[in-house]
């Protein structure tokens, strides 16, 4: 689980007579991660497509243009089709249905463009209604120059100065002055210069006839007619999409598979008579790959396992060993978080299992409310039915597991929709006398109880009221403890990773000192808090030793520049407390505001809940629900992002992708979704 699957480098060589069945079998097996031939060996050429590659490619392009017109997107399959049905309906789908869709879509585009053009004309014409001219008066002159637009200041005098022969019409609308200036053509340049001095901005006048009002009315009529034609065409595309969506996705899948198979030889090396395929296969699947391919080729093919030393030489030469993450089903969703950061390199550790262990605990520690956890689980159960693609399912599963931990921590905290919320009424609470007694003893961790069991745990700390001083101090220690464990696991894996790469100096004088520094810094801090000076002295001694080891490391004295970050890494885990307290505070404020401020205030100062008015209760509940709803939304986002940050920044940097991201194992083949196996 922590390590990717062991991979073996293989070479497949065979006669070109059997290239088609070999490609078919490779596609079916989905075992070989093909290494593309780069043409660096003169005796081999790049392979050529086989079969109906061109036809399949053209059909796929045609189909995808149709699916784009219908706005068909990838989705979880609702229906699967046998290949025989796809093949029988493909011609009708591509030519008849596709041709009809294309023609309809093009007509819709043309109508929308025409509507937009007419709307632009209306916008241009509207202000011209204040000028006393028919539209044909603005165009069609050989000896006159026409200027129509807006001017900041009056233009009459200056136009008359450069062109005594002129005709000027002026009108004002919406704080803008519109002018239409007619002058002899030979005076056009001089008049243009004069108009620019008055802030003239030209307006394009559509080449229409009649009055402005009649032209606008005619354009509006045309737009209404076009919109009447547009609506049934759009409905037609919606109906076609509803009828053929799944079949089109199945056809796309079929054509994609055929294109992949027929163009696969472009990734091979070949001669006139033979072909060679390089690739990687999971070591435990090599025997199956060899027997299946040799059987499919009828003895005209050989599959050879490359020796480890030769494979290592290829890797040193720049070839990447693909990484296949291997995790049990419950851990699989957390590969999403791993991929968001980087695919682990082949010799690195896969952190998905660690995320599965730490992430939900951190989420639950921050949110920690039975009510919120249950609401999140209910919401995600509904979303799980709506969003059925793999990525969404993984994300929902991650948050659902975290929601379960929120309920668990909510039980430890005694919170149902906030502290002093429903827990005390539904489960139980201490008497006032018992609370006073605990406060005087300095052992007050909360007032909630586990019903007849009372308060549980050492010193009776559970349920833990997070706003109590003792609880805050306890959670500070727990947060730092989690930080030490989390970072130490990262450092241990970092040491192992460096050793896997043969980097002993990096392992023992870069990774190891970080772990020693952080662990014994925490021990020294704990010693100070507990007054155990022996712990302080031991911690200080090891801290000094770790600093000396850093100086002896690859970065030398410059490595000391990272020391403040090692301290800040641990302090960063206090966000597990701080973000949680913010959520608790908001929930507490919601309860107090509704029941102890709003309801009494709107009930004339009544202090007994039985005296609250109906209006006060309704307003109080609305405010209560609204604030808790906002807090739940924040309670999903913040507890997700902050643990994610602790993994990516505080933990991953100690062991993960120090040598750059890996290449994910991507075997040649296809997982059928819309096509039946």
């Amino acid at each position: 689980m922590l390590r990717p699957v062991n991979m073996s480098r293989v070479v497949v060589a065979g006669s070109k007579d059997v290239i088609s069945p070999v490609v078919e079998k490779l596609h079916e097996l989905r075992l070989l991660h093909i290494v593309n031939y780069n043409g660096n060996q003169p005796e081999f050429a790049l392979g050529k497509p086989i079969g109906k590659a061109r036809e399949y490619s053209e059909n796929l392009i045609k189909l995808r243009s149709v699916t784009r017109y219908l706005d068909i997107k990838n989705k979880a399959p609702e229906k699967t089709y046998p290949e025989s049905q796809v093949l029988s309906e493909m011609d009708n789908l591509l030519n008849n249905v596709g041709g009809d869709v294309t023609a309809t879509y093009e007509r819709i585009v043309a109508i929308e463009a025409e509507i937009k053009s007419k709307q632009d004309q209306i916008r241009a014409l509207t202000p011209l209604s204040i000028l006393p001219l028919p539209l044909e008066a603005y165009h069609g002159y050989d000896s006159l120059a026409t200027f129509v637009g807006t001017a900041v200041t009056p233009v009459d005098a200056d136009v008359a100065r450069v062109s005594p022969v002129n005709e000027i019409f002026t009108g004002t609308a919406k704080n803008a002055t519109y002018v239409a200036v007619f002058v002899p053509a030979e005076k056009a340049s001089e008049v243009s210069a004069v108009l620019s001095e008055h802030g003239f901005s030209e307006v394009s006048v559509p080449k229409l006839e009649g009055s402005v009002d009649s032209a606008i009315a005619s354009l509006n009529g045309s737009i209404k007619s076009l919109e009447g034609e547009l609506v049934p065409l759009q409905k037609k595309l919606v109906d076609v999409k509803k009828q053929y969506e799944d079949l089109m996705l199945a056809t796309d899948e079929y054509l994609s598979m055929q294109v992949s198979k027929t163009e696969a030889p472009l990734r091979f090396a070949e001669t006139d008579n033979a072909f060679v395929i390089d690739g990687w296969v999971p070591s435990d699947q090599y025997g199956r790959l060899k027997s299946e391919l040799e059987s499919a080729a009828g003895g005209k093919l050989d599959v050879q396992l490359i020796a480890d030393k030769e494979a290592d030489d290829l890797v040193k030469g720049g070839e990447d060993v693909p990484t296949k993450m291997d995790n049990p089903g419950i851990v699989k969703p957390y590969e999403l978080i791993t991929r968001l950061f980087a695919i682990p390199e082949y010799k690195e550790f896969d952190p998905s299992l660690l995320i599965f262990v730490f992430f939900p605990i951190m989420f639950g520690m921050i949110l920690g409310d039975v009510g919120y956890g249950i609401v999140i689980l209910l919401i995600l159960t509904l979303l799980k039915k709506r969003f059925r693609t793999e990525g969404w399912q993984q994300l929902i599963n991650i948050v659902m597991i975290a929601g379960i931990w929120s309920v668990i921590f909510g039980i430890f905290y005694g919170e149902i929709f906030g502290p002093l919320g429903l827990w005390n009424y539904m489960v139980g609470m201490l008497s006032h006398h018992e609370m006073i007694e605990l406060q005087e003893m300095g052992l007050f961790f909360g007032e909630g109880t586990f019903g007849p069991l009372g308060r549980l745990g050492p010193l009776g700390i559970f349920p833990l009221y997070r706003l109590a001083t003792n609880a805050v101090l306890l959670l500070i220690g727990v947060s730092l403890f989690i930080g030490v464990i989390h970072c130490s696991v990262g450092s241990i894996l970092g040491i192992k990773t460096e050793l896997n790469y043969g980097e002993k100096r990096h392992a023992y004088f870069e990774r190891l000192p970080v772990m020693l520094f952080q662990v014994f810094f925490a021990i020294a801090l704990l010693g100070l808090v507990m007054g155990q000076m022996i712990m302080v002295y031991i911690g200080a001694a090891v801290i000094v030793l770790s600093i000396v080891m850093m100086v002896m490391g690859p970065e030398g004295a410059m490595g000391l520049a990272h020391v403040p970050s090692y301290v800040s890494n641990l302090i960063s885990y206090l966000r597990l407390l701080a973000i949680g307290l913010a959520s608790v505070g908001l929930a507490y404020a919601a309860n107090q505001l509704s029941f102890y401020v709003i309801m009494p205030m709107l009930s004339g100062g009544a202090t007994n809940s039985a005296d609250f008015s109906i209006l006060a209760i309704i307003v109080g509940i609305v405010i209560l629900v609204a604030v808790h709803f906002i807090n739940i939304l924040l309670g999903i986002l913040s507890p997700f992002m902050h643990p994610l940050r602790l993994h990516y920044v505080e933990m991953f940097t100690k062991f993960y992708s120090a040598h750059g991201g890996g290449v994910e194992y991507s075997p040649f083949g296809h997982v059928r979704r819309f096509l039946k196996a």
Side-chain angles (χ1 to χ4, degrees):
M1 288 184 285
L2 279 174
R3 291 300 304 274
V5 173
N6 287 328
M7 306 296 290
S8 296
R9 181 68 154 77
V10 298
V11 175
V12 179
S15 169
K16 289 181 72 173
D17 296 340
V18 295
I19 192 170
S20 292
V22 168
V23 168
E24 192 71 40
K25 180 58 69 174
L26 280 174
H27 194 274
E28 175 189 329
L29 292 174
R30 292 193 68 251
L31 289 175
L32 187 65
H33 177 99
I34 297 175
V35 177
N36 294 338
Y37 175 58
N38 59 13
N40 61 350
Q41 299 181 38
E43 61 269 28
F44 289 98
L46 288 172
K48 298 178 179 61
I50 57 175
K52 302 177 181 178
R54 182 170 183 175
E55 179 184 333
Y56 289 134
S57 295
E58 289 175 350
N59 285 340
L60 185 59
I61 292 171
K62 185 186 296 185
L63 177 66
R64 286 184 176 171
S65 68
V66 174
T67 57
R68 180 171 60 85
Y69 296 154
L70 294 175
D71 193 30
I72 293 176
K73 295 181 174 62
N74 196 12
K75 63 168 190 172
E78 297 177 1
K79 183 179 180 182
T80 57
Y81 296 82
E83 284 191 13
S84 58
Q85 182 178 352
V86 171
L87 287 170
S88 66
E89 297 192 36
M90 188 184 300
D91 183 65
N92 175 59
L93 195 66
L94 293 175
N95 297 316
N96 298 332
V97 177
D100 190 29
V101 167
T102 301
T104 303
Y105 181 82
E106 288 175 350
R107 178 57 187 155
I108 288 174
V109 171
I111 290 174
E112 289 175 340
E114 194 172 349
I115 289 175
K116 185 179 183 305
S117 173
K118 292 184 183 300
Q119 289 172 338
D120 291 341
Q121 288 180 333
I122 290 173
R123 277 191 290 271
L125 287 173
T126 300
L128 298 182
S129 61
I130 60 173
L131 299 178
L133 293 171
L135 291 174
E136 61 267 22
Y138 294 101
H139 301 287
Y141 302 110
D142 294 327
S143 59
L144 290 178
T146 306
F147 299 90
V148 182
T150 60
V152 177
T153 55
V155 302
D156 304 60
D158 286 337
V159 169
R161 177 171 52 81
V162 298
S163 177
V165 178
N166 65 73
E167 193 73 39
I168 300 176
F169 300 90
T170 305
T172 302
K174 293 184 179 180
N175 299 321
T177 300
Y178 287 84
V179 297
V181 179
F182 299 86
V183 297
E186 62 271 15
K187 295 289 185 178
S189 59
E190 296 176 67
V191 171
S192 178
V194 166
L195 290 175
S196 65
E197 295 174 0
H198 292 269
F200 178 77
S201 177
E202 189 170 10
V203 172
S204 177
V205 181
K207 292 184 178 180
L208 300 173
E209 296 182 354
S211 69
V212 171
D213 291 339
S214 64
I216 290 175
S218 176
L219 289 170
N220 279 324
S222 298
I223 289 174
K224 192 167 290 187
S225 174
L226 289 169
E227 288 174 341
E229 182 184 354
L230 184 64
V231 171
L233 293 177
Q234 291 173 329
K235 184 179 183 302
K236 180 180 179 181
L237 290 188
V238 171
D239 293 340
V240 171
K241 176 181 178 179
K242 185 176 181 180
Q243 181 178 357
Y244 291 101
E245 182 176 22
D246 288 321
L247 180 59
M248 286 188 174
L249 289 170
T251 306
D252 185 294
E253 184 171 273
Y254 172 79
L255 290 172
S256 297
M257 288 168 54
Q258 300 310 314
V259 168
S260 176
K261 287 188 281 190
T262 56
E263 293 184 353
L266 293 170
R267 308 171 68 184
F268 306 165
E270 69 173 34
T271 64
D272 292 338
N273 302 308
F275 67 91
V276 178
I277 310 172
D278 292 306
W280 295 88
V281 64
S283 299
D284 60 353
Q285 295 294 321
Y286 167 71
R288 180 185 172 207
L289 177 73
K290 180 178 175 67
S291 62
E292 292 274 7
L293 289 183
E294 290 179 350
S295 173
K300 295 184 178 182
L301 175 137
D302 185 38
V303 182
Q304 289 294 326
L305 186 66
I306 298 296
D308 290 342
K309 185 179 184 306
E310 189 176 348
D312 288 341
D313 291 339
L314 290 171
V315 172
K316 290 177 182 176
E319 187 172 308
D320 293 307
V321 183
T323 299
K324 181 182 180 183
M325 292 185 279
D326 180 28
N327 294 293
I330 196 169
V331 181
K332 279 282 183 188
Y334 294 87
E335 292 179 1
L336 173 67
I337 295 178
T338 299
R339 287 188 174 91
L340 286 175
F341 189 81
I343 297 296
E345 279 205 345
Y346 179 64
K347 292 185 178 181
E348 290 183 327
F349 289 91
D350 174 7
S352 302
L353 178 63
L354 300 177
I355 302 171
F356 165 72
V357 172
F358 286 103
F359 182 87
I361 293 175
M362 293 179 178
F363 187 105
M365 183 177 174
I366 293 174
L367 189 58
D369 188 290
V370 175
Y372 287 178
I374 291 174
V375 169
I376 289 173
L377 289 172
L378 292 175
I379 292 173
L380 291 175
T381 300
L382 297 175
L383 292 178
K384 195 174 178 66
K385 297 177 182 178
R386 175 67 179 84
F387 299 98
R388 296 189 291 122
T389 57
E390 183 180 5
W392 276 109
Q393 289 289 304
Q394 288 180 327
L395 181 60
I396 290 171
N397 287 336
I398 289 170
V399 183
M400 287 187 78
I401 293 173
I404 293 171
W405 277 93
S406 296
V407 173
I408 293 171
F409 272 90
I411 294 172
F412 288 144
Y413 295 151
E415 294 181 21
I416 303 177
F417 295 108
L420 309 182
L422 296 178
W423 181 278
N424 292 355
Y425 301 99
M426 295 177 64
V427 184
M429 63 183 292
L430 296 173
S431 66
H432 181 71
H433 172 74
E434 289 173 314
M435 283 189 282
I436 295 297
E437 187 176 314
L438 288 173
Q439 288 171 350
E440 290 176 350
M441 296 170 60
L443 296 176
F444 180 73
F445 288 91
E447 62 185 48
T449 66
F450 290 102
L453 297 177
R455 295 186 62 81
L456 303 178
L459 301 178
I461 63 175
F462 299 115
L464 187 68
Y465 175 46
R466 283 191 278 178
L467 295 178
T469 302
N470 289 336
V472 171
L473 294 175
L474 177 62
L475 290 173
I476 287 174
V478 171
S479 299
L480 292 176
F481 176 75
I482 291 174
V484 170
I485 298 299
H486 201 228
C487 290
S488 296
V489 170
S491 294
I492 291 169
L493 296 182
I495 293 168
K496 291 281 292 179
T497 299
E498 296 294 358
L499 292 175
N500 288 340
Y501 282 98
E503 300 285 356
K504 292 185 178 180
R505 192 178 181 201
H506 283 273
Y508 297 128
F509 294 97
E510 184 178 14
R511 304 296 182 186
L512 179 59
V514 174
M515 183 180 72
L516 293 175
F517 181 93
Q518 292 185 320
V519 169
F520 284 90
F521 176 83
I523 290 174
L525 190 61
L526 181 62
L528 282 173
V529 173
M530 297 176 62
Q532 299 292 324
M533 296 310 295
I534 185 66
M535 295 172 64
V536 177
Y537 297 145
I538 293 174
V542 178
I543 287 172
V544 171
L545 174 62
S546 66
I547 290 174
V548 172
M549 293 173 69
M550 290 178 202
V551 174
M552 296 170 62
E555 295 186 60
M558 291 299 297
L560 299 179
H562 301 298
V563 170
S565 69
Y566 303 147
V567 177
S568 67
N569 282 168
L570 291 179
I571 295 175
S572 184
Y573 284 84
L574 291 178
R575 69 185 65 232
L576 298 176
L577 164 68
I579 304 302
L581 288 181
S583 177
V584 172
L586 187 56
Y588 177 81
N591 296 336
Q592 294 294 306
L593 180 66
S594 297
F595 293 110
Y596 299 101
V597 178
I598 299 297
M599 291 184 186
M601 182 178 68
L602 295 180
S603 301
T607 56
N608 191 334
S609 59
D611 298 328
F612 291 165
S613 67
I614 295 176
L615 175 63
I617 293 173
I618 292 174
V619 173
I621 290 175
V622 168
I623 292 175
L624 181 73
V625 171
V627 177
H628 275 299
F629 178 72
I630 293 171
N631 203 21
I632 288 174
L633 294 181
L634 294 174
I636 295 174
L637 182 62
S638 294
F640 189 93
M641 298 304 297
H642 287 280
L644 197 65
R645 192 260 187 202
L646 292 175
H647 281 82
Y648 284 170
V649 178
E650 273 67 34
M651 187 190 196
F652 280 14
T653 52
K654 292 175 174 58
F655 76 96
Y656 187 44
S657 288
H659 298 268
V663 174
E664 187 166 13
Y665 171 68
S666 179
F668 175 68
H670 180 80
V671 178
R672 294 170 180 247
R673 299 176 64 237
F674 294 92
L675 291 173
K676 291 182 180 178

